[in-house]
Amino acid sequence: MVDHAMVGDVAALLGRGMADNPLHRVVYGTVEADAARAHARLMRVLVASPRRHVDVVEHDGTLVGVAASAPPGGCRPSSGTRLRLLAAAAPEGPRVAARLVSWTGEWARHDPAEPHVHLGPVSVDRHLRGRGIGGVLLARHTRSLDASGAVGYLETDRPEAVGFYRRFGYDVVEASDVLGVRCWFMRRAGG
Ligand SMILES: CC(C)(COP(=O)(O)OP(=O)(O)OC[C@H]1O[C@@H](n2cnc3c(N)ncnc32)[C@H](O)[C@@H]1OP(=O)(O)O)[C@@H](O)C(=O)NCCC(=O)NCCS
């Protein structure tokens, strides 16, 4: 669980960092400020949930990158967290809530049955991408996987992120359309 004082900053970065992701545009709409605000409200619940591990990169005291992950057995939110997520989505209205349920349900349907560390969301502030910050987060994440021997798993809706994750040992195990958006499901072998 992330330090309580950082929850708001982490959630805000995840909200604005992913506002132009294809699925976010379908779910929340194409006005990025609205998508960022709506998603940040959900992320505030998710990153504050007890079993979520949150790793961050800061630069000059400012948060610039975040990688959240759930330990084996922890990737499905508890019923309490699910209720809080629904409450956080409610102000966006029933259309957004229904799309969120379809999206998360469809991704959950692909979750491997084997024990795994579930990576995501991962986000680097937009103006700082391509400078190695995501690489730092993934290097730490994969070092920890290698130390424990755990299988890694993630989903992404960004084609350019697939190559990035491949660089860290993830392979695409499946691809399918969710709400009309292509998603890739990636696994990293355990030790
Ligand atoms: C994917 C992401 C975390 C990578 O972080 P980063 O700090 O830009 O990564 P690095 O600088 O270490 O490495 C750059 C790599 O990321 C890829 N990348 C993916 N999206 C990118 C973007 N929008 N801008 C720049 N590089 C991007 C580059 O193609 C490059 O891949 P390569 O190593 O195979 O050439 C970051 O671009 C991001 O936050 N994207 C938006 C949110 C998202 O889609 N997250 C992943 C899906 S859950």
Side-chain angles (χ1 to χ4, degrees):
M1 185 171 151
V2 69
D3 188 307
H4 187 68
M6 284 189 86
V7 166
D9 288 346
V10 166
L13 172 51
L14 291 172
R16 68 178 179 271
M18 306 185 99
D20 64 338
N21 275 42
L23 262 172
H24 290 236
R25 292 168 66 87
V26 170
V27 170
Y28 298 114
T30 52
V31 180
E32 287 188 15
D34 291 346
R37 186 184 30 75
H39 196 60
R41 213 171 24 238
L42 267 79
M43 291 300 98
R44 192 176 254 280
V45 174
L46 194 78
V47 298
S49 65
R51 296 197 69 195
R52 197 62 55 153
H53 173 75
V54 179
D55 190 17
V56 301
V57 173
E58 291 175 289
H59 180 66
D60 289 341
T62 303
L63 188 68
V64 293
V66 174
S69 60
C75 62
R76 301 275 169 95
S78 66
S79 49
T81 299
R82 253 200 307 273
L83 277 177
R84 282 189 287 279
L85 286 168
L86 278 174
E92 301 309 314
R95 272 167 67 99
V96 170
R99 287 176 188 159
L100 280 166
V101 169
S102 300
W103 166 17
T104 51
E106 196 51 37
W107 274 17
R109 208 173 56 74
H110 290 267
D111 282 350
E114 66 184 337
H116 61 277
V117 173
H118 200 124
L119 179 65
V122 179
S123 184
V124 169
D125 235 342
R126 222 173 284 186
H127 62 292
L128 295 171
R129 288 181 194 157
R131 298 187 190 183
I133 296 167
V136 168
L137 289 165
L138 262 291
R140 287 185 197 154
H141 165 71
T142 52
R143 255 200 312 275
S144 148
L145 288 180
D146 290 341
S148 65
V151 166
Y153 178 77
L154 62 87
E155 312 93 345
T156 185
D157 59 334
R158 288 191 94 112
E160 65 272 34
V162 171
F164 169 69
Y165 289 126
R166 275 206 177 103
R167 192 147 59 82
F168 292 91
Y170 278 90
D171 293 314
V172 173
V173 286
E174 215 180 333
S176 72
D177 290 346
V178 176
L179 297 172
V181 172
R182 180 107 305 214
C183 293
W184 292 269
F185 302 87
M186 303 186 73
R187 177 184 184 275
R188 185 177 190 274

